[in-house]
């Protein structure tokens, strides 16, 4: 009689063991699958950066085009990522709905920045120098920096440093690129630079607190090509002032190019040129925009004499150029030392210059700006606040393109950046078609996507401004064109609104480096006017509506160049 209970007991024990084994096998299989997926992510450097700009409103309800690109933070808070059918609240004033994600991605091919970097990584140009210490007290290279956490290669770093005017390129952590014209730290053992580059195998890419340094490919004097060389203007300078500049050179065959090269090699941001003289200087109030002379004073100046080796005592006019070297006095940035209890938005319609204004704010304050979204391209280019949680309170302000009441009321105050809608629409279409710094082709301007884009985005330009004027708690309205025309006064207003103490040195530094690497060149435009009369009639009506709304809130109206004539 005792046999059946005993058999049942044994059966239950075996079942328990079987369930335990199945559970262990299930956990092991899940772990292996997770490891495989993570390895796939690491091994695919060609993936495009995450695009998570706020989707615009649309009139294309018949398109049936995918789901809305959402803020990664909002997706996390809502418990499980973006799901089909969920949309951000739109502006109620105009009843505008948001575009869907697939159309957004359909307009944007693989990022041009990615294609360039992949081409660059195909060959090595420079000479490997060795491993060098690089920490807070011993910085091997003191020039500019580049981040690329997915596809950094030694060639990409060398090309970036060469185009920025530097002779040495150093790689750290397998993903960071440092540039400089002199190595200022001791050599370290090669085993301290054992990390490989994220975008290639077989090349040393530094270590923790150590740089793998390359000497970039040398070019003949006068043949080096630099990015971000800008003509600052014509300035009248006294001989007593010139004598204080840290670097000077006199050559009978001196050219503008060779002067810029000289000052770039000396890691100084300004090249002061008057043949046969070249001086290198730091940014200062001497070279502020309001000190400029008429450019004709520097053209055909009779005082330009090859036999003259000194400036006249009463002063002479000089061409001043900004070299690719970032002024070291405004290079260092950090998160706020103490978390802020109030959230400040930097709100704009896409294409209104939000990234450029973020660059200026970071230069003039020394603090990182955050983002309601995550843009991997911007993070790789140095906007470290892109990865920080937008509500962390560690950023001086937070980028957003949202225009719903709920999203607006999340912020305690906001800088509302407004740009001419014609320029904004073209800038955003350029970004969608060719990346942050590229330009759409004439074929893209003539395609059917352009009129669809205008009919969808133009109402959003208006609803965005109207919503922030209606629901924003404390606003500073900044017009993009006024910021271009009066940079220093507008930056003073912005920093005062942000309650940040700003030094005159940082202000001048921001003026010297105002374009950075984040402002699209305005040189390339479509060969024809892309706006039809019907488009202009619609956009002009929105301009008038926003203008009246600004006046009703006791703000200055839109600049005169916006208003239809």
């Amino acid at each position: 009689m005792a046999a059946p209970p005993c058999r049942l007991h044994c059966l239950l024990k075996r079942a328990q063991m079987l369930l335990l084994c199945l559970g262990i096998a299930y956990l092991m299989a899940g772990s292996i699958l997770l490891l495989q997926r993570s390895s796939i992510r690491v091994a695919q450097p060609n993936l495009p950066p995450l695009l998570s700009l706020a989707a615009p409103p649309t009139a294309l309800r018949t398109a049936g085009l995918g789901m809305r690109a959402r803020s990664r933070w909002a997706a996390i808070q809502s418990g499980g990522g973006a799901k089909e059918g969920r949309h951000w609240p739109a502006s109620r004033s105009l009843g505008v709905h948001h575009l869907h994600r697939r159309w957004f991605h359909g307009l944007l091919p693989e990022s041009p920045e990615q294609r360039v970097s992949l081409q660059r990584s195909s060959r090595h140009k420079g000479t490997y120098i060795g491993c060098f210490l690089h920490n807070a007290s011993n910085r091997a290279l003191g020039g500019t920096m580049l981040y690329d956490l997915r596809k950094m290669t030694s060639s990409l770093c060398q090309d970036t440093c060469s185009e920025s005017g530097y002779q040495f390129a150093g790689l750290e952590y397998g993903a960071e690129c440092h540039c400089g014209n002199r190595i200022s730290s001791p050599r370290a053992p090669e085993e301290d630079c054992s990390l490989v580059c994220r975008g290639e195998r077989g090349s040393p890419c530094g270590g923790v607190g150590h740089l793998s340094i390359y000497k970039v490919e040398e070019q003949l004097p006068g043949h080096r090509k630099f990015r971000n060389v800008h003509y600052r203007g014509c300035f009248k300078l006294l001989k007593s002032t010139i004598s204080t500049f840290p670097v000077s050179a006199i050559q009978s065959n001196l050219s503008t190019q060779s002067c810029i090269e000289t000052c770039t090699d000396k890691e100084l941001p300004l090249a002061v040129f008057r043949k046969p003289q070249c001086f290198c200087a730091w940014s200062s109030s001497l070279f502020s925009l309001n000190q400029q002379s008429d450019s004709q004073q520097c053209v055909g100046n009779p005082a330009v004499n090859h036999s003259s080796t000194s400036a006249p005592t009463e002063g002479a006019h000089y061409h001043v150029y900004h070299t690719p070297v970032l002024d070291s006095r405004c290079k260092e940035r950090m998160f706020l030392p103490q978390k802020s209890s109030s959230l400040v938005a930097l709100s704009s319609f896409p294409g209104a210059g939000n990234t450029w204004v973020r660059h200026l704010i970071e230069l003039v304050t020394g603090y990182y700006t955050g983002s309601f979204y995550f843009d991997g391209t911007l993070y790789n280019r140095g906007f470290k606040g892109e990865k920080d949680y937008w509500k962390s309170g560690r950023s001086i302000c937070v980028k957003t393109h949202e225009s719903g009441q709920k999203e607006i009321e999340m912020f305690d105050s906001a800088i509302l950046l407004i740009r001419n809608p014609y320029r904004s629409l073209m800038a955003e279409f350029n970004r969608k078609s060719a990346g942050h710094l590229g330009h759409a082709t004439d074929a893209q301007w003539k395609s059917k996507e352009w009129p669809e884009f205008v009919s969808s985005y133009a109402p959003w330009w208006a609803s965005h401004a109207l919503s922030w004027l209606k629901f924003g708690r404390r606003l500073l309205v900044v017009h993009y064109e006024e910021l271009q025309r009066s940079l220093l006064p507008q930056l003073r207003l912005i920093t005062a609104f942000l309650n940040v103490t700003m030094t005159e040195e940082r202000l001048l530094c921001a003026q010297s480096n105002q374009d950075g690497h984040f402002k699209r060149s305005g040189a390339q435009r479509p060969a024809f006017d892309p706006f039809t009369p019907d488009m202009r009639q619609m956009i002009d009506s929105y301009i008038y509506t926003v203008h009246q709304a600004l006046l009703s809130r006791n703000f200055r109206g839109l600049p005169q160049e916006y208003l239809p004539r």
Side-chain angles (χ1 to χ4, degrees):
M1 297 295 295
C6 182
R7 289 178 181 176
L8 180 62
H9 180 68
C10 292
L11 183 62
L12 290 174
K13 288 183 68 175
R14 289 177 182 175
Q16 287 177 344
M17 291 298 296
L18 180 61
L19 289 173
L20 179 62
C21 291
L22 287 173
I24 293 172
Y26 178 78
L27 292 174
M28 291 177 65
S31 300
I32 292 171
L33 182 61
L34 182 62
L35 287 171
Q36 286 177 336
R37 287 181 176 177
S38 63
S39 66
I40 288 172
R41 290 192 195 102
V42 173
Q44 288 181 334
N46 297 342
L47 289 173
L50 176 64
L51 298 171
S52 51
L53 280 176
T58 182
L60 307 176
R61 306 307 294 167
T62 59
L65 298 168
M67 63 180 178
R68 167 76 168 89
R70 298 189 57 182
S71 162
R72 64 193 177 109
W73 300 117
I76 292 170
Q77 288 176 321
S78 63
K83 298 181 180 179
E84 291 197 31
R86 291 188 179 183
H87 305 280
W88 285 107
S91 169
R92 297 175 182 175
S93 60
L94 293 180
V96 179
H97 300 287
H98 286 184
L99 280 179
H100 292 234
R101 186 178 187 179
R102 194 178 304 160
W103 182 80
F104 181 87
H105 282 281
L107 274 180
L108 185 60
E110 184 183 8
S111 168
E113 292 93 342
Q114 288 181 308
R115 291 195 293 268
V116 170
S117 66
L118 291 175
Q119 293 168 359
R120 286 174 173 175
S121 64
S122 62
R123 61 193 181 97
H124 300 278
K125 293 184 176 181
T127 304
Y128 180 66
I129 302 296
C131 182
F132 291 83
L133 188 65
H134 185 77
N135 54 34
S137 56
N138 289 286
R139 300 190 66 82
L141 299 176
T144 189
M145 294 174 61
L146 168 74
Y147 303 88
D148 198 325
L149 303 184
R150 303 179 69 185
K151 53 186 184 299
M152 177 58 73
T153 67
S154 60
S155 294
L156 169 62
C157 182
Q158 290 175 50
D159 285 344
T160 300
C161 294
S162 177
E163 291 171 3
S164 297
Y166 294 101
Q167 298 181 31
F168 296 100
L171 295 117
E172 184 179 17
Y173 300 122
E176 293 185 8
C177 174
H178 299 257
C179 306
N181 281 321
R182 49 183 173 270
I183 303 174
S184 305
S185 69
R187 188 182 289 270
E190 284 301 316
E191 54 265 28
D192 290 340
C193 292
S194 57
L195 295 180
V196 297
C197 296
R198 296 287 179 91
E200 66 182 346
R201 299 290 179 181
S203 296
C205 242
V208 179
H210 291 80
L211 293 185
S212 297
I213 296 183
Y214 295 80
K215 178 73 166 63
V216 303
E217 184 182 48
E218 293 188 9
Q219 293 181 327
L220 294 174
H223 291 80
R224 292 161 67 184
K225 294 182 179 180
F226 299 140
R227 292 183 303 181
N228 289 353
V229 173
H230 302 291
Y231 182 59
R232 188 69 175 275
C234 177
F235 293 84
K236 184 176 182 179
L237 301 171
L238 298 175
K239 183 179 180 181
S240 57
T241 301
I242 289 289
S243 62
T244 65
F245 292 160
V247 175
S248 62
I250 299 174
Q251 298 177 10
S252 58
N253 60 345
L254 191 69
S255 66
T256 302
Q257 174 74 13
S258 59
C259 182
I260 292 171
E261 288 183 7
T262 298
C263 297
T264 299
D265 291 342
K266 298 297 183 182
E267 295 189 6
L268 288 166
L270 294 182
V272 182
F273 175 68
R274 173 189 171 90
K275 197 170 183 178
Q277 300 169 302
C278 174
F279 301 92
C280 307
W282 295 103
S283 298
S284 72
S285 57
L286 290 170
F287 305 104
S288 59
L289 296 178
N290 56 2
Q291 297 293 328
Q292 280 186 4
S293 300
D294 185 347
S295 60
Q296 292 300 315
Q297 297 290 331
C298 288
V299 178
N301 193 320
V304 176
N305 189 330
H306 286 235
S307 63
S308 173
T309 58
S310 62
T313 304
E314 68 277 6
H317 288 88
Y318 292 80
H319 293 288
V320 178
Y321 294 85
H322 190 270
T323 72
V325 177
L326 177 64
D327 195 324
S328 59
R329 294 173 299 177
C330 61
K331 184 171 57 180
E332 297 299 327
R333 301 170 201 179
M334 62 181 180
F335 289 105
L336 293 174
Q338 294 182 337
K339 291 186 178 181
S340 174
S341 58
S342 63
L343 282 173
V344 183
L346 175 59
S347 179
S348 72
F349 174 77
N354 199 302
T355 301
W356 178 53
V357 176
R358 287 178 67 186
H359 165 70
L360 293 173
I361 290 174
E362 291 192 2
L363 281 178
V364 80
T365 66
Y367 296 121
Y368 288 118
T369 58
S371 178
F372 191 72
Y373 321 99
F374 170 61
D375 188 324
T377 302
L378 292 181
Y379 177 77
N380 291 341
R381 289 178 174 268
F383 285 98
K384 285 192 172 181
E386 283 289 324
K387 270 197 173 180
D388 199 49
Y389 177 43
W390 68 277
K391 278 189 175 181
S392 69
R394 302 200 308 157
S395 303
I396 191 66
C397 63
V398 178
K399 163 191 173 177
T400 181
H401 298 307
E402 300 301 317
S403 55
Q405 180 179 354
K406 179 181 177 182
E407 288 76 26
I408 293 173
E409 291 178 346
M410 290 178 179
F411 293 94
D412 301 292
S413 57
I415 299 170
L416 177 58
L417 178 64
I418 301 177
R419 186 182 185 184
N420 187 316
Y422 291 99
R423 298 296 188 193
S424 292
L425 291 169
M426 293 180 70
E428 179 60 4
F429 191 72
N430 276 324
R431 188 198 67 80
K432 281 176 166 293
S433 302
H436 281 281
L437 301 178
H439 292 83
T441 64
D442 281 357
Q444 288 170 317
W445 291 111
K446 294 177 181 178
S447 69
K448 65 179 182 179
E449 282 88 359
W450 169 241
E452 292 173 349
F453 175 88
V454 172
S455 65
S456 303
Y457 274 63
W460 188 26
W461 177 86
S463 70
H464 179 274
L466 295 173
S467 296
W468 279 92
L469 289 171
K470 182 177 181 180
F471 301 117
R473 299 178 188 176
R474 174 174 168 260
L475 289 179
L476 172 67
V477 177
V478 175
H479 297 289
Y480 177 91
E481 290 77 12
E482 290 183 355
L483 186 61
Q484 282 185 312
R485 284 192 296 263
S486 307
L487 181 69
L488 299 187
Q490 291 293 312
L491 286 179
R492 288 191 177 96
L493 287 175
I494 291 172
T495 52
F497 182 81
L498 294 172
N499 197 26
V500 175
T501 302
M502 176 192 60
T503 64
E504 193 70 16
E505 196 172 66
R506 270 202 170 267
L507 188 66
L508 292 169
C509 191
Q511 184 189 39
S512 300
N513 300 277
Q514 57 185 279
D515 285 349
H517 295 269
F518 313 105
K519 191 177 178 186
R520 183 181 290 106
S521 169
Q524 186 174 334
R525 299 277 176 83
F528 59 95
D529 183 0
F531 295 98
T532 65
D534 288 341
M535 291 178 185
R536 289 188 175 277
Q537 183 178 0
M538 174 182 63
I539 295 170
D540 288 349
S541 68
Y542 292 138
I543 290 174
Y544 182 78
T545 301
V546 173
H547 178 69
Q548 293 299 318
L550 285 167
L551 295 177
S552 67
R553 283 287 308 272
N554 296 320
F555 290 108
R556 289 178 56 192
L558 294 175
Q560 287 297 315
E561 65 248 41
Y562 290 24
L563 300 177
R565 294 177 176 83

